[in-house]
Amino acid sequence: ACLTDLRTGYSFNIHIQAVGDHLDVEPLTSADTSIMCLIYNVSSPSSIDYHRRPVILTTSNGYNFACSIYGQPHGAQDITDNQYDGQFCVHFLNSKTHSTQHVDPDHAAAINEAVALIQSKGGTVYTSL
């Protein structure tokens, strides 16, 4: 899948590790990690914080989903040569966090921002898988 940050317009590819209350993902390549760093305006992934960002997830069959990410590396990783130590989370409408099993209001706000940005440009977007 591909994520596009709606504030910067930058896109990068992801590897999906797990699907549950939300997606656990990681950048596919080191080039994708570099783009993530550009999005967060940092020099290394370890400097990325938990700030939520409105993004569009585009599937391999062309569906677009409004969602929210926070890019802070945490947890396990599948890919060892992407210069990203761990995973990050992608939340959709009504996705829940691991720790609280509640909808995170900051993710909800970023998803609403994503929907508004896409609709303002006349685009169609889904809000849940």
Side-chain angles (χ1 to χ4, degrees):
C2 177
L3 289 175
T4 301
D5 180 79
L6 292 171
R7 293 180 185 154
T8 64
Y10 293 133
S11 297
F12 64 100
N13 296 307
I14 57 168
H15 163 73
I16 300 172
Q17 289 182 354
V19 177
D21 289 327
H22 59 267
L23 298 181
D24 292 330
V25 305
E26 60 186 296
L28 189 60
T29 67
S30 60
D32 294 309
T33 298
S34 294
I35 294 169
M36 258 191 99
C37 289
L38 287 173
I39 289 168
Y40 279 91
N41 196 28
V42 297
S43 59
S44 76
S46 62
S47 299
I48 296 173
D49 62 17
Y50 283 100
H51 183 77
R52 278 61 165 174
R53 297 195 64 92
V55 298
I56 294 297
L57 181 139
T58 304
T59 65
S60 59
N61 55 4
Y63 289 100
N64 292 313
F65 294 89
C67 48
S68 171
I69 65 169
Y70 62 80
Q72 172 67 41
H74 64 281
Q77 69 187 82
D78 288 343
I79 303 170
T80 58
D81 63 352
N82 63 358
Q83 305 304 309
Y84 191 90
D85 188 19
Q87 64 189 13
F88 66 97
C89 298
V90 178
H91 282 246
F92 299 87
L93 184 67
N94 297 322
S95 289
K96 297 177 181 173
T97 65
H98 288 301
S99 59
T100 67
Q101 288 297 299
H102 290 100
V103 174
D104 178 89
D106 294 329
H107 279 304
I111 293 163
N112 288 336
E113 182 181 347
V115 169
L117 288 167
I118 293 302
Q119 289 178 340
S120 73
K121 296 177 183 176
T124 301
V125 65
Y126 299 97
T127 56
S128 61
L129 294 174

